[in-house]
Amino acid sequence: MSSTALQWLSLVGVIWLQAINGTNNNFPAYSSQLKQLLSISQLQLNNLAFASDAGKLFGWFSGFAVTYLPLWLVLVIGSILGLIGYGVQYLFITNHISSLSYWHVFFLTVLAGNSICWINTVCYVVIIRNFPAHHRQVAVGLSTSYQGLSAKIYTNIVESVSPHQKARTFLFLNSVTPLIVSIIAAPLVREIKAKTTKTGSSSSSHMGVGFIIMFVITIGTGIFAVMTSLQFLSGKLSPLSSLIGISVTLLIPLLVPITEKVKELVGLWQTKREKQRVYHFTAEDNSSDTEETRTEDEVKHKEEEEDHVVFGVREEIGWKLIMRRIDFWLYFFVYFFGATIGMVFLNNLGQIAESRGYSGTSSLVSLSSSFSFFGRLMPSLLDYFYRGKSRISRPATMVALMAPTSASFFLLLNRKDLSLYMSTAMIGICTGAITSIAVSTTTELFGTKNFSVNHNVVVANIPIGSFLFGISAALVYRKHGSHGKCIGMECYRSTFILWGSLCCLGTVLALILHARTRKFYSQKP
């Protein structure tokens, strides 16, 4: 198979992995039931939500692992960690294990959360190694957008198989699905060496049509996911039909590598026919070989330059040095007050909906998942179709995303269900978009060589924020509640005001980061 076809196949494998790797996004869908089964308080439940994110504190282990181990082995290790973390919890709530304390469950959740980092790291590294600089953000955005569908996919499976035992079914799926998909995808997600051509470009430079097809497929998938998540439309389609539909959309991207393979076979056939009619002289062959060798060297040099210009690498530095940079801490807290708060909101979505007297929690989680999908995809669309010199920088994009996130939290002070839907959708979009562009931002500001460790240092803000923001929300919830449950708008009113204000602060920090990096981004072609 040609290198281009294999590159596309590796992207399809990454898409499948991302689609099932958002297991922590499932937590709100079964958190209330888990709370009853374990007989725990809201504060303890919040600690479990934090534990899932706390696994990211140890994500740098996976960063070092991809440096020394084969990618397939890192992938398998990550999925096995998830199997243990979620699997033991499943055995506990199904009474196959009787002696399991709350703290055992807590540490198992940390282990399960860490497994996500291993799979994510493999996905990001495969894309960075397999795609040229000017296509990386596009490929990253396409693949990570599918992680926004994880909750939607798992919810559809649960509602099709066991709608009345959600907690145990979610835990079972969380434990086995990533392992199964990792085994299937492991042969696909590997480093591909792209061959150069005499025209002076790598085979990956001919991917324009392929990316357009992938965009069409991905947007169609997102539209289907959103339409089947809206309660007044989803009622007309059974959960099984929705599951079959979303499964088909995950298989459709295979058309791109298959088409590339067909083109390769047709090209070989045409070349073979051409050779039968044309005589090649030795002198011409030698000249051609010399030219091709020179061309390959030029392409290699050109792609090295692209890593530092098109992808915007300012400097190659390790994780110790980045912590001495002011830009790192600005970037860290922008993420902290933006995407991390958004994730905490989505983690608490089940309790928030319950406190407002809204019963369609699964539908709401599915909706947030679907809009997160579009949020993650949005930066790739902008990168691909608008590559002009005056395009908006990553920090400026974060400013544009943080402002509506702040407004969404204040909109939640309105008690209407429509406000809940609108805010959830907007927070899902903005959180997903910030998560997507963060991969490119880390690479642009701190380089590609140490990306696997550097980015895991950046996302360490997620468990910290999950703990701080989550525990404050839980304390307010407990203050206004009775018998471990709080009903009414006052349960989260103060929390929404705090989160909205912190998002405003994050917007200001993003503006400062934009001002500090404006000169650098203005030099990008």
Side-chain angles (χ1 to χ4, degrees), residues 64 313 315-325 328 442 445-458:
F64 284 116
V313 176
E315 54 182 341
E316 293 286 355
I317 56 177
W319 65 274
K320 292 182 180 179
L321 284 178
I322 64 172
M323 299 182 73
R324 301 177 187 175
R325 298 287 196 270
F328 166 76
T442 302
L445 296 181
F446 312 118
T448 59
K449 292 180 181 178
N450 302 293
F451 166 81
S452 58
V453 177
N454 288 349
H455 194 62
N456 279 300
V457 171
V458 172

Side-chain angles (χ1 to χ4, degrees), residues 170-348:
F170 267 113
L171 286 171
F172 176 77
L173 290 173
N174 285 356
S175 62
V176 301
T177 307
L179 179 61
I180 294 171
V181 177
S182 293
I183 292 172
I184 295 171
L188 309 181
V189 287
R190 55 193 177 91
E191 185 175 358
I192 309 298
K193 297 294 184 182
K195 295 181 180 180
T196 56
T197 66
K198 290 176 68 176
T199 58
S201 61
S202 69
S203 59
S204 56
S205 65
H206 302 288
M207 292 184 165
V209 176
F211 274 115
I212 291 174
I213 294 172
M214 288 294 292
F215 275 128
V216 172
I217 293 171
T218 306
I219 291 171
T221 301
I223 292 173
F224 177 82
V226 170
M227 297 298 285
T228 54
S229 297
L230 297 174
Q231 202 169 39
F232 63 91
L233 291 175
S234 60
K236 300 177 182 178
L237 195 66
S238 69
L240 181 60
S241 300
S242 181
L243 175 61
I244 294 172
I246 205 74
S247 300
V248 170
T249 62
L250 290 174
L251 294 175
I252 292 177
L254 281 172
L255 291 175
V256 177
I258 291 173
T259 303
E260 192 63 40
K261 178 61 178 177
V262 172
K263 285 170 59 181
E264 179 202 359
L265 294 174
V266 172
L268 289 173
W269 177 73
Q270 290 177 341
T271 302
K272 187 176 181 180
R273 288 190 61 188
E274 197 70 28
K275 284 182 178 179
Q276 292 174 352
R277 293 183 297 176
V278 180
Y279 291 98
H280 298 278
F281 295 97
T282 305
E284 292 176 346
D285 287 341
N286 291 338
S287 174
S288 176
D289 290 342
T290 304
E291 181 183 350
E292 186 168 347
T293 302
R294 183 170 64 252
T295 300
E296 289 181 2
D297 291 338
E298 291 173 354
V299 170
K300 184 178 180 181
H301 179 68
K302 182 180 178 182
E303 289 183 349
E304 286 176 353
E305 288 183 343
E306 283 179 340
D307 277 343
H308 291 270
V309 179
V310 179
F311 210 59
V313 176
R314 284 201 304 181
E315 54 182 341
E316 293 286 355
I317 56 177
W319 65 274
K320 292 182 180 179
L321 284 178
I322 64 172
M323 299 182 73
R324 301 177 187 175
R325 298 287 196 270
I326 294 176
D327 288 347
F328 166 76
W329 290 109
L330 285 171
Y331 174 39
F332 184 91
F333 282 109
V334 167
Y335 200 117
F336 188 68
F337 293 136
T340 298
I341 289 182
M343 291 177 191
V344 174
F345 167 78
L346 296 176
N347 281 342
N348 285 272

